[in-house]
Amino acid sequence: MTPACPTPRPAQDTILLGHGAGGLLTGELLRDVVLPALGVPADGALEDAALLPGDSELAVTTDAFVVDPLFFPGGDIGSLAVHGTVNDLAMRGALPVALALAVIAEEGLPVPDLRCVLQSAGKAARDIGVPVVTGDTKVVGRGAADRLFLTTTGIGRRIPGLTPSAVRAGPGDAILLSGPVGLHGITVLSARAGLGFEADIASDTQPLHRLVAALAPLGGHVHTLRDPTRGGLAAALNEIARDAHVGVEIDEAALPVPRAVTAACDLLGLDPLVVANEGCLVAFVAPQAADSALDALRALPEGSEAVRIGTVEQAPADRVVARTMVGSRRIVDMPLGELLPRIC
């Protein structure tokens, strides 16, 4: 009897690593599965943090961290979890008030590794001045969690006068970037695969709430804030263009891409625009406030390399275009697939 081949299952019926990479597949999963199941409108803007019903001055965000490896040049999963949560609050114009931290540890994880991760998270929280007020600890069987996963929830209070949202980006806005791109993703990938680039670079993981506070005097001129983590700058800009129904044009020559990141991307066939970051933000500000915003960002160490990278256009709506170094233009698409899995 000739064995029959099983009928292949459509990719959309199976969760892929790419569904967690922050690009097109992530968006489809949210739109087609997650949001409808929870009764959330699928056509609304997806922000980094939500405003609490009944109190628009309080913001809440939740996140999960599954980075591999747990320790990498410039940081670890513990400090990354704190920074990432604080930064998501900051992108809605909120300063952190309290954090919750839950641990999912795999049987066999060395206790010194867990202690080191939690000490790092505790130090990061103390340095920011936000308490970890509650949490949980679970242990699962070998092979069920790849050593250690962390989940966090953050509560923040909005800075008076700041109301950033993805839907507020408008034609004429200046697009500012607070620092270099690609450092976190390339560092983690290199440390995981032993590529050697980590000898020259380190993750940019850091809190961004001070940068946002520095922009507070500009008030309503600060239209949109986003930290380009999973999916990199390409995903962040595409999300804003989609939610605000505007066109985005950036200048590739203005992008601050470290030499080691460029070398790694050339070797691996990656676009620096899709590589994850954990220590920079994108700000869409009214054109008359662009110079003041740059001055405010550059006044702090974490924003010392801030630059203007582009402008918001009326059309073509929902599209990101890059002016290349040779004078042509190319479309910057939303990333597709598992370009850099497990980086946060």
Side-chain angles (χ1 to χ4, degrees), residues 244-255:
H245 301 297
V246 295
V248 168
E249 183 170 304
I250 61 172
D251 182 0
E252 283 191 344
L255 292 174

Side-chain angles (χ1 to χ4, degrees), residues 169 171 237-249 312-321 331-332:
L237 295 177
N238 270 282
E239 289 166 354
I240 294 167
R242 175 199 65 205
D243 292 342
H245 301 297
V246 295
V248 168
E249 183 170 304
V312 177
E313 308 289 346
Q314 183 71 51
D318 305 348
R319 179 175 292 181
V320 180
V321 175
I331 295 175
V332 179

Side-chain angles (χ1 to χ4, degrees), residues 81-82 85-86 89 96-101 125 130-135 152-155:
V82 172
T85 308
V86 167
L89 292 171
V97 173
L99 298 178
L101 175 65
V130 58
V132 179
V133 296
T134 189
T152 57
T153 296
I155 301 293

Side-chain angles (χ1 to χ4, degrees), residues 207-230:
L208 301 172
H209 64 296
R210 295 204 315 154
L211 289 180
V212 174
L215 294 174
L218 300 177
H221 291 310
V222 180
H223 294 161
T224 305
L225 298 172
R226 185 64 57 93
D227 57 335
T229 53
R230 292 182 304 167

Side-chain angles (χ1 to χ4, degrees), residues 51 56-57 89-95 157-165 168 209-225 284-285:
L51 305 182
S56 62
E57 297 308 306
L89 292 171
M91 296 308 104
R92 292 307 306 273
L95 298 179
R157 188 176 300 279
R158 300 182 81 185
I159 302 171
L162 277 185
T163 57
S165 169
R168 292 194 60 215
H209 64 296
R210 295 204 315 154
L211 289 180
V212 174
L215 294 174
L218 300 177
H221 291 310
V222 180
H223 294 161
T224 305
L225 298 172
F284 286 57
V285 301

Side-chain angles (χ1 to χ4, degrees), residues 58-343:
L58 290 178
V60 61
T61 187
T62 190
D63 211 339
F65 296 85
V66 296
V67 63
D68 174 29
L70 300 179
F71 304 92
F72 45 84
D76 56 69
I77 192 174
S79 59
L80 180 67
V82 172
H83 294 162
T85 308
V86 167
N87 292 348
D88 281 349
L89 292 171
M91 296 308 104
R92 292 307 306 273
L95 298 179
V97 173
L99 298 178
L101 175 65
V103 173
I104 301 175
E106 181 186 16
E107 181 186 15
L109 175 73
V111 170
D113 284 358
L114 177 60
R115 180 179 293 113
C116 186
V117 164
L118 294 180
Q119 287 175 339
S120 178
K123 181 180 184 304
R126 289 191 299 274
D127 289 345
I128 294 168
V130 58
V132 179
V133 296
T134 189
D136 191 21
T137 302
K138 293 291 190 298
V139 178
V140 297
R142 292 178 185 269
D146 196 8
R147 294 169 294 163
L148 180 66
F149 296 159
L150 300 179
T151 61
T152 57
T153 296
I155 301 293
R157 188 176 300 279
R158 300 182 81 185
I159 302 171
L162 277 185
T163 57
S165 169
V167 301
R168 292 194 60 215
D173 279 0
I175 305 172
L176 312 181
L177 181 65
S178 68
V181 295
L183 287 168
H184 178 72
I186 293 299
T187 298
V188 171
L189 178 63
S190 184
R192 179 190 308 158
L195 301 178
F197 293 107
E198 69 272 20
D200 301 316
I201 57 176
S203 170
D204 63 339
T205 178
Q206 62 181 340
L208 301 172
H209 64 296
R210 295 204 315 154
L211 289 180
V212 174
L215 294 174
L218 300 177
H221 291 310
V222 180
H223 294 161
T224 305
L225 298 172
R226 185 64 57 93
D227 57 335
T229 53
R230 292 182 304 167
L233 190 58
L237 295 177
N238 270 282
E239 289 166 354
I240 294 167
R242 175 199 65 205
D243 292 342
H245 301 297
V246 295
V248 168
E249 183 170 304
I250 61 172
D251 182 0
E252 283 191 344
L255 292 174
V257 183
R259 184 173 302 177
V261 172
T262 299
C265 288
D266 288 345
L267 178 66
L268 300 170
L270 295 173
D271 183 344
L273 290 175
V274 306
V275 180
N277 315 275
E278 289 291 348
C280 67
L281 63 81
V282 180
F284 286 57
V285 301
Q288 64 269 32
D291 290 340
S292 296
L294 276 175
D295 290 341
L297 294 174
R298 290 169 177 168
L300 293 172
E302 53 266 50
S304 60
E305 298 181 63
V307 292
R308 179 171 179 166
I309 62 169
T311 306
V312 177
E313 308 289 346
Q314 183 71 51
D318 305 348
R319 179 175 292 181
V320 180
V321 175
R323 297 193 303 274
T324 70
M325 295 184 185
V326 297
S328 62
R329 283 174 166 78
R330 70 179 179 95
I331 295 175
V332 179
D333 287 321
M334 179 71 82
L336 174 66
E338 49 174 305
L339 297 173
L340 295 171
R342 302 289 304 279
I343 47 77

